[in-house]
Amino acid sequence: MSFSTSGTFRPVILDDIRGAQKMLAGVARMTAMEGSRHLSQLVGAPVHLKCENLQRTGSFKLRGAYVRISGLSPVERAAGVVAASAGNHAQGVALASSLLGVRSTVFMPMGAPLPKVAATSEYGAEVRLHGQVIDETLAAAQEYAHETGAVFIHPFDHPDIIAGQGTVGLEILEQCPEVRTIVVGIGGGGLAAGIAVAVKAVRPDVKLIGVQAEGAAAYPPSLAAGHPVSIDAPSTMADGIKVGCPGDVPFKIIGDLIDEVRTVSEDELSSALLLCLERAKLVVEPAGASPVAALLSDPRSFKGPVVALLSGGNVDPLLMQRILRHGMAAAGRYLSLRLRLTDRPGALAALLGSLSVVDANVLDVSHVRTDPRLGLTEAEVELQLETKGPEHCELVAATLRDAGYTVMS
C-alpha cells in the first residue's frame, strides 16, 4: 500500500487507511464502544471506552499485521515472515499469517509469559524463545530474516502497519461522531500515528492526546529534539508501550498531528487497570489502561465527549495479581503499618480489637519480639490491612494513635 518500488516510504494518507479497512472486513472486528459513567462524572463530560482489548488476539495488533502481510508479493509470502515480540504483536502476526496462508516464525524472550507463548503457537506460528530482553530477541529475529530471506514484520515502523492501526480511528469517528478528544497510548507510535492520520483528515478539530509511561517516555525528548531519541533502560509495567526509541515513520506523523503527549506514573497505571476491572468489568493490560490513567491524573483538562482507547487486554494472571495489589495500595485500599506495643499476654488481641472497631480487615500480621532494637518489654507488629480508601486509612492510623500505640509507618 505505502511502500514504493524504490524501497522508500511515502506518507500514509487517508486513502491508505480506507483501503486497509476494506481489507480487514471480516478479519478484524469493529470492537465495542462502551460509555463510562464513573469517568464521565470525573471529567465532567461523556467518556467512552473503545474496547480493542476485545479484538481478536486481545489487541489492535492484528489490524496492522494483516495489512502488512497482505501487501507482500508472492515471492515474499513464499519466504515466510518473522517477528519479535513479548506478546501482542506476536499473536497478531501469528493469526494474520495463518489467515493468509503464510509461514510465520516468532521470536519471544525467554521470560515471556507462558499464556502468551502458548497463544502465539496456537495461532499457528513457530515460536522460538531467545534472549532475556526484547533487544536480544529482536536481534535474533533480524538475523533469522537475513539468513533465511523471511520478511521481518516490524511492530510499528512501517506505513502498512500504521494504515492498519489507523482503521481504529475510522471506527471511533463512526461510533462516536460527536467526539472532541481521543486519548491513546503511545509506545513506538504506530497506533497513535494511524489514528492521527485517519482522524485529522476527517475531523481536524478533534484533539489527539498521546500517553506514555513515565519510565518509558521517549516521545517528549524526541519531539523536543525534532528527531527520534533513544532513552536508556525504559522501565514500566506497561510492556505494550515499553519502547526505548520512536519509529522513524510514526514519529513524523505524531510530530505533525498529535496535539499533546502526556506521561503517567506506575501508580496511575495500576489504579486505571483496577478501575477498568471494577467499574467497566473489562480486563485490560497496563498499556491498554494508559489513556484511563491520563484521565484519572487530570480529569478536568479534557474536552468531551472523550474516547479513551483500551488498546489491549493480554495480561499474565500473575502480573495481574501484582498490579491489582499495587493498584489497591495506590487507591488507598491497602494500608501497611508498623507499630510497637507492650509485650504482654493479650496485647496483640487488644490491637486487633481496635482495628475491628474501625472496620479494617487484617490481611497479614508479623509479630516480632526478638529484634535487638526493641526494649525488654516491647514487641513490634507489622500489619497489612484492607481499607476503604484514603480517608479510612487516616482514620485507622488516628484510632491506633489515640489508643496509645506508637505507629512507626
Side-chain angles (χ1 to χ4, degrees), residues 208-233:
L208 301 178
I209 298 178
V211 184
Q212 292 208 286
E214 285 180 354
Y219 265 90
S222 297
L223 292 170
H227 58 83
V229 173
S230 296
I231 59 172
D232 294 331

Side-chain angles (χ1 to χ4, degrees), residues 57 81 90-99 101-106 116-127:
T57 75
V81 299
Q91 294 173 69
V93 168
L95 179 57
S97 300
S98 294
L99 293 173
V102 176
R103 184 179 71 258
S104 64
T105 303
V106 176
K116 295 184 178 181
V117 174
T120 303
S121 179
E122 289 169 7
Y123 285 130
E126 177 189 345
V127 175

Side-chain angles (χ1 to χ4, degrees), residues 371-387:
D371 193 305
R373 295 173 299 174
L374 297 174
L376 186 63
T377 61
E378 286 184 321
E380 187 171 279
V381 176
E382 286 191 18
L383 297 168
Q384 301 292 324
L385 307 174
E386 182 181 3
T387 55

Side-chain angles (χ1 to χ4, degrees), residues 145-394:
H146 178 73
E147 292 176 349
T148 65
V151 179
F152 179 70
I153 306 299
H154 199 284
F156 51 81
D157 204 15
H158 192 282
D160 290 350
I161 294 286
I162 292 170
Q165 321 303 29
T167 59
V168 178
L170 295 181
E171 290 182 13
I172 290 173
L173 294 179
E174 180 179 345
Q175 294 172 297
C176 186
E178 69 278 14
V179 64
R180 296 182 66 189
T181 304
I182 297 173
V183 192
V184 56
I186 299 181
L191 176 62
I195 290 174
V197 172
V199 171
K200 289 294 189 180
V202 180
R203 287 279 309 281
D205 60 301
V206 174
K207 186 171 184 180
L208 301 178
I209 298 178
V211 184
Q212 292 208 286
E214 285 180 354
Y219 265 90
S222 297
L223 292 170
H227 58 83
V229 173
S230 296
I231 59 172
D232 294 331
S235 176
T236 175
M237 70 174 72
D239 286 346
I241 54 174
K242 185 180 175 182
V243 178
C245 185
D248 291 330
V249 181
F251 176 78
K252 177 67 167 62
I253 296 170
I254 287 173
D256 290 342
L257 299 179
I258 293 288
D259 296 287
E260 184 182 351
V261 176
R262 301 187 184 187
T263 61
V264 292
S265 69
E266 299 297 284
D267 281 354
E268 288 164 343
L269 284 168
S270 55
S271 295
L273 187 147
L274 180 63
L275 184 145
C276 288
L277 186 64
E278 287 190 324
R279 296 301 184 99
K281 315 307 177 190
L282 292 168
V283 176
V284 182
E285 62 190 87
S290 60
V292 175
L295 292 177
L296 292 177
S297 69
D298 191 7
R300 293 292 171 166
S301 65
F302 296 87
K303 293 183 178 180
V306 178
V307 172
L309 175 57
L310 308 182
S311 59
N314 291 318
V315 56
D316 179 63
L318 294 177
L319 176 62
M320 171 72 89
Q321 187 178 37
R322 294 197 298 270
I323 293 171
L324 290 178
R325 284 200 301 266
H326 188 90
M328 291 185 73
R333 305 262 294 279
Y334 279 156
L335 177 63
S336 296
L337 288 176
R338 184 166 55 89
L339 46 85
R340 291 186 181 179
L341 58 137
T342 303
D343 185 17
R344 58 177 174 77
L348 182 58
L351 169 63
L352 297 178
S354 298
L355 292 171
S356 69
V357 170
V358 289
D359 200 24
N361 186 34
V362 179
L363 300 176
D364 192 26
V365 178
S366 175
H367 191 205
V368 179
R369 306 168 68 184
T370 57
D371 193 305
R373 295 173 299 174
L374 297 174
L376 186 63
T377 61
E378 286 184 321
E380 187 171 279
V381 176
E382 286 191 18
L383 297 168
Q384 301 292 324
L385 307 174
E386 182 181 3
T387 55
K388 300 173 183 178
E391 292 182 0
H392 191 209
C393 290
E394 294 175 4

Side-chain angles (χ1 to χ4, degrees), residues 1 23 65-74 76-77 100 160:
M1 294 172 59
M23 190 180 299
Y66 189 89
V67 173
R68 172 76 173 99
I69 298 169
S70 293
L72 298 180
S73 69
E76 290 172 321
R77 290 193 185 200
L100 292 164
D160 290 350

